[in-house]
Amino acid sequence: MGKGSKSRGCLGWFLVLVILALVVGAVVYTVKKKIDRSRANKPEPVPGPPGAIDKKYADALKIAMQFFDVQKSGKLENNKISWRGDSALKDGSEASLDLSKGMYDAGDHMKFGFPLAFTATVLSWAILEYGDQMDAVNQLEPAQDSLKWITDFLINAHPSPNVLYIQVGDAVADHKCWDRPEKMTEKRPLTMVNTSVPGTDVAAETAAAMASASLVFKTSDSTYSSTLLKHAKQLFTFADKYRGIYSEQIPDVATYYNSTGYGDELLWAASWLYHATGDQSYLQYVTGENGEEFANWGSPTWFSWDNKLAGTQVLLSRLSFFDSKVASGNSGLGNYRKSAEDVMCGLLPKSPSATSSRTDGGLIWVSEWNALQHPVASAFLAAVYSDYMLTSQTAKITCGSDSFKPSDLRKFAKSQADYVLGSNPLKMSFLVGYGDKYPQYVHHRGASIPTDAITGCKDGFKWLDSTDPNPNVAVGALVGGPFLNETYIDSRNNSMQAEPTTYNSAVIVGLLSSLVTTSSIAKSLT
């Protein structure tokens, strides 16, 4: 009897200790959760003026910026590329226009207005957001010079309010030749859109390029800025009034840059025009009926030369972050910001809604052709959005039941940049000229032919088929990139993977500029 009592007493004390331990554990867990929640809700510190420079990204930016010089057409000024010279000096002459400037699209000698205008818009955006970072490593002036080389061309390509020249060269004839741009002899016909043959998408993208560039040059050259803005307004009116998909109106262009619609370009252009002018009619345009029709709110898309919705959503979220007076009660702007967050949630690898469109090495991978366009463009948007959050002291975004900080978005952006620069299974940089190992057989005519070679249209193909590495380095070129299985065939005939594009340069310059150093972004683009 005594022994039973003693054992029951011990059991009782044991139960008391277990319950006490559970209570203490619950209290500790609750306090920890509150602390974690408090930390999660606390904004990360706002970065100040450009801080310590990250040499890796600074070096890569200096290299990437040079591909714009590689691609320049016309009478070159302060030419820094030893194997390039003047070319296409008579472009536009059949219409009594000077279309000699601008840039060649890729490894060929075509000037395609649609992707070229996108190049200018993205480069303008990068300068506006990260001009201080560029300046910290002496790259702001080269960026502005390259932008102006494109916008000079776009101004001349718009000789009257409802006429826009959108292409120089015949793609079929051009691709039957393999020659240096300085020596090309093939005909360079012009293609245009007008009221009879409308091209809403290309005209609106050109309007976006002009409007964004007008902000870049507003302080340094107010006259030029005003000229750009005048053209932007005219082009937007033309694009909106005379609607049509340019590649349906002109089927020949569909082979290379087929447009899937024009609604995104109209919203993109109106957004830039609002930032450039402050005119409420442009804001009403994007938040009213046109927003309802074209914005595709809640359906994340990939930012590219063809689809500007994700870029528009991030750009308009600026107003929600920094202009509460404008954003207050504007449900349309709220929809753009929510859609921008949906895009971000899709990019973050640990998000419940993370896209499965990735390689095993973590690269966003959407398309076999020019695979690097989408991850680099996505990373640029993530960096921009992260900096909006930091500067506005926004602590987190919510993706399903999880929340993520600005630093998570920046980590993602860095991961894509690092992959491009060599942190990948191949241990190879896809940015030509960066690192010890990069593509040697870039699909690029000028780079593949020795400067002293005498070639015509046809006999130059021996250089395309040559087994020797390119004699000239297409420095700064961002090639198409890896396959989904993370292989890359370094062959000049492999245009799917080995051909660089000028618009790829715009997005990689934007991304690298955002990573050069930490800095708060401007609360106003004006």
Side-chain angles (χ1 to χ4, degrees):
M1 190 74 184
K3 287 182 180 178
S5 260
K6 190 173 179 181
S7 96
R8 279 196 299 274
C10 288
L11 181 61
W13 279 110
F14 176 73
L15 289 173
V16 168
L17 288 172
V18 169
I19 292 169
L20 185 61
L22 288 171
V23 170
V24 171
V27 170
V28 169
Y29 177 77
T30 302
V31 170
K32 186 177 183 301
K33 286 291 284 184
K34 285 184 177 179
I35 292 172
D36 289 345
R37 196 177 299 118
S38 172
R39 285 175 178 166
N41 290 329
K42 185 179 179 181
E44 294 177 336
V46 180
I53 291 168
D54 189 315
K55 187 176 184 303
K56 174 173 68 174
Y57 301 122
D59 289 349
L61 175 62
K62 291 172 185 176
I63 288 168
M65 197 74 75
Q66 293 180 62
F67 192 61
F68 292 126
D69 291 325
V70 169
Q71 295 300 89
K72 283 180 179 176
S73 165
K75 187 168 182 58
L76 303 183
E77 302 167 5
N78 302 316
N79 180 27
K80 301 177 183 67
I81 307 299
S82 62
W83 49 273
R84 280 300 326 278
D86 298 344
S87 63
L89 298 178
K90 294 182 179 179
D91 277 5
S93 58
E94 70 177 64
S96 300
L97 298 172
D98 180 6
L99 300 180
S100 61
K101 282 189 175 183
M103 295 183 187
Y104 300 119
D105 177 62
D108 55 11
H109 299 153
M110 292 297 298
K111 295 178 189 175
F112 292 114
F114 194 28
L116 184 61
F118 175 71
T119 300
T121 311
V122 173
L123 184 55
S124 293
W125 195 6
I127 293 170
L128 291 166
E129 301 287 11
Y130 299 116
D132 56 346
Q133 282 95 319
M134 291 179 180
D135 200 28
V137 291
N138 301 313
Q139 293 304 296
L140 178 57
E141 187 175 334
Q144 291 171 327
D145 288 347
S146 293
L147 174 62
K148 190 171 185 295
W149 201 264
I150 299 174
T151 52
D152 283 352
F153 168 85
L154 296 178
I155 287 171
N156 289 352
H158 182 228
S160 60
N162 296 331
V163 173
L164 176 66
Y165 286 87
I166 59 149
Q167 183 173 303
V168 181
D170 176 338
V172 174
D174 182 89
H175 288 187
K176 288 179 179 178
C177 294
W178 192 268
D179 49 5
R180 299 181 68 243
E182 294 81 2
K183 302 295 183 182
M184 63 178 168
T185 57
E186 55 267 29
K187 290 183 178 179
R188 309 274 292 167
L190 305 177
T191 305
M192 69 174 171
V193 292
N194 53 33
T195 56
S196 302
V197 185
T200 297
D201 30 27
V202 65
E205 181 57 59
T206 309
M210 302 282 212
S212 55
S214 77
L215 287 165
V216 171
F217 297 108
K218 189 171 185 178
T219 303
S220 61
D221 191 339
S222 59
T223 301
Y224 189 66
S225 173
S226 297
T227 298
L228 288 166
L229 193 54
K230 180 190 76 173
H231 282 278
K233 290 176 179 178
Q234 290 177 350
L235 280 164
F236 181 76
T237 300
F238 166 52
D240 191 36
K241 184 175 181 180
Y242 299 95
R243 292 191 177 186
I245 297 173
Y246 92 119
S247 49
E248 290 182 356
Q249 299 292 319
I250 311 169
D252 285 351
V253 304
T255 303
Y256 298 97
Y257 288 102
N258 181 51
S259 174
T260 55
Y262 55 68
D264 55 317
E265 279 84 21
L266 285 172
L267 299 177
W268 177 237
S271 301
W272 277 113
L273 278 161
Y274 175 71
H275 279 94
T277 65
D279 186 332
Q280 293 294 316
S281 66
Y282 294 117
L283 184 61
Q284 177 57 39
Y285 189 96
V286 297
T287 56
E289 290 181 9
N290 292 288
E292 294 284 351
E293 184 176 358
F294 300 128
N296 230 358
W297 291 316
S299 299
T301 53
W302 299 107
F303 187 44
S304 71
W305 62 263
D306 180 43
N307 193 323
K308 321 300 166 21
L309 285 179
T312 302
Q313 290 152 5
V314 171
L315 179 63
L316 287 176
S317 71
R318 242 186 171 279
L319 300 174
S320 297
F321 281 115
F322 304 126
D323 197 337
S324 56
K325 185 177 178 182
V326 169
S328 179
N330 191 320
S331 60
L333 282 179
N335 288 332
Y336 281 106
R337 179 165 169 178
K338 178 62 176 68
S339 295
E341 293 198 359
D342 290 341
V343 171
M344 297 303 129
C345 289
L347 299 177
L348 291 163
K350 294 183 179 179
S351 163
S353 54
T355 179
S356 60
S357 300
R358 299 174 203 266
T359 67
D360 290 343
L363 180 77
I364 294 287
W365 197 94
V366 179
S367 169
E368 277 191 329
W369 279 95
N370 194 15
L372 287 176
Q373 179 191 186
H374 296 102
V376 174
S378 298
F380 171 62
L381 294 186
V384 170
Y385 203 82
S386 167
D387 288 334
Y388 288 174
M389 292 177 67
L390 277 174
T391 305
S392 65
Q393 285 284 271
T394 302
K396 62 182 181 179
I397 59 171
T398 301
C399 305
S401 58
D402 297 337
S403 61
F404 297 91
K405 297 179 179 181
S407 56
D408 295 314
L409 287 170
R410 190 172 180 84
K411 182 180 178 183
F412 162 76
K414 280 189 172 185
S415 74
Q416 304 301 287
D418 290 347
Y419 190 106
V420 168
L421 298 179
S423 294
N424 55 60
L426 295 172
K427 306 300 180 189
M428 180 182 78
S429 165
F430 292 102
L431 182 67
V432 176
Y434 180 85
D436 297 326
K437 182 183 178 184
Y438 51 82
Q440 300 295 308
Y441 297 83
V442 180
H443 182 92
H444 190 278
R445 291 182 202 173
S448 71
I449 303 174
T451 54
D452 59 354
I454 299 173
T455 60
C457 166
K458 299 292 186 183
D459 54 353
F461 277 103
K462 68 181 180 183
W463 300 108
L464 171 65
D465 298 327
S466 169
T467 56
D468 294 329
N470 286 353
N472 309 310
V473 179
V475 62
L478 181 64
V479 296
F483 287 134
L484 181 59
N485 65 2
E486 297 181 297
T487 59
Y488 178 85
I489 301 168
D490 193 10
S491 166
R492 208 174 287 114
N493 271 298
N494 179 19
S495 56
M496 182 183 287
Q497 289 186 292
E499 186 170 19
T501 59
T502 305
Y503 52 89
N504 270 10
S505 291
V507 290
I508 191 65
V509 161
L511 174 58
L512 294 171
S513 297
S514 75
L515 301 175
V516 162
T517 177
T518 55
S519 173
S520 55
I521 53 92
K523 293 186 178 181
S524 171
L525 294 180
T526 57

